Amino acid sequence: MRVLVVEDEPLLAAAIAEWLRDEAHAVDVAGDGGAALERLSVNAYDVLVLDRDIPVVHGDEVCRQLVASGSATRVLMLTAAAAVTDRVEGLGLGADDYLTKPFAFAELGARVLALGRRSRPADPPVLRRAGVTLDPARHEVFRDGRYVPLSKKEFAVLVELLRADGATVSAEQLLEKAWDEHVDPFTGAVRLTILKLRRKLGEPGLVETVTGVGYRIP
């Protein structure tokens, strides 16, 4: 999934981003509300991890503007305020979930995954197609019962191909979901990742190239 982390404490922001990237998400980071709104206007994020007390534009206003825009992005609001009234207020602004600091990174990751499922048509807990079984929560992939070790990017690309349910996914769509904003749009990263994924999944080949369109698992 594509995730935007908005946190003005650099060390915490870096730690959250690293944890989510380890779970095969593409993560961008913003240090204030103005930068967050700029990125939200350009990129389609599945989940926004939003610290409530941020400079330039307050987190409450970021949440209000995002909800008013009709975006499908789900909002996980972070705050040091643990009172029930604060949680109720945050959810009333349109946030989908609320997590108080300090928090366990494992819980944050689980909440991001759950919100990501709600940002699109519901996925089954385990994705299956053409003999491939992928468990997003456990980060495990099997083909015909054989465990397939994948890198983070290979895993993220396979998730998108399985979610497409036989439809073709363009290289641009894969870049949007599996890589962050720093990727070169003219890079060969998608082609190389698909090549490695094919090798690891083994024979007979599963991932088809649709010339001029993209890739699919029929």
Side-chain angles (χ1 to χ4, degrees):
M1 294 185 300
R2 188 78 180 270
V3 181
L4 176 61
V5 175
V6 187
E7 169 61 59
D8 64 333
E9 297 181 24
L11 291 179
L12 179 57
I16 294 172
E18 181 179 2
W19 182 277
L20 295 176
R21 286 171 183 145
D22 282 344
E23 297 194 336
H25 302 305
V27 183
D28 297 332
V29 177
D32 62 70
L37 289 172
E38 182 179 353
R39 284 170 172 79
L40 288 165
S41 70
V42 173
N43 301 310
Y45 294 100
D46 296 291
V47 179
L48 169 64
V49 179
L50 177 65
D51 182 26
R52 192 172 183 184
D53 189 15
I54 50 176
V56 183
V57 179
H58 195 274
D60 288 359
E61 183 59 25
V62 172
C63 188
R64 286 192 192 95
Q65 291 193 32
L66 180 66
V67 172
S69 73
S71 172
T73 301
R74 300 298 180 176
V75 180
L76 172 58
M77 188 170 280
L78 305 178
T79 181
V84 172
T85 53
D86 293 302
R87 295 199 297 272
V88 170
E89 185 178 354
L91 293 170
L93 292 168
D96 298 279
D97 200 357
Y98 199 94
L99 190 59
T100 57
K101 299 177 181 178
F103 51 80
F105 284 104
E107 181 180 4
L108 181 142
R111 289 176 183 247
V112 167
L113 185 61
L115 288 177
R117 293 195 186 105
R118 292 166 55 189
S119 70
R120 63 179 81 200
D123 292 322
V126 176
L127 300 172
R128 293 184 175 90
R129 188 173 187 84
V132 174
T133 301
L134 183 151
D135 187 332
R138 295 177 180 270
H139 294 273
E140 292 179 342
V141 176
F142 294 86
R143 181 178 184 185
D144 298 327
R146 172 180 64 88
Y147 176 69
V148 182
L150 298 180
S151 71
K152 299 170 191 174
K153 285 293 181 285
E154 293 159 1
F155 187 92
V157 166
L158 182 58
V159 167
E160 296 305 319
L161 292 174
L162 292 174
R163 279 176 171 161
D165 197 25
T168 301
V169 184
S170 70
E172 290 77 14
Q173 288 173 309
L174 292 174
L175 279 174
E176 174 71 24
K177 293 298 183 182
W179 279 265
D180 62 28
E181 63 184 353
H182 300 294
V183 67
D184 180 352
F186 301 105
T187 183
V190 172
R191 181 181 58 80
L192 182 59
T193 301
I194 290 288
L195 178 62
K196 292 179 178 178
L197 183 59
R198 284 173 172 151
R199 289 174 178 169
K200 291 185 178 181
L201 290 173
E203 298 295 336
L206 283 180
V207 183
E208 291 185 354
T209 298
V210 181
T211 304
V213 181
Y215 306 93
R216 68 174 182 172
I217 297 179

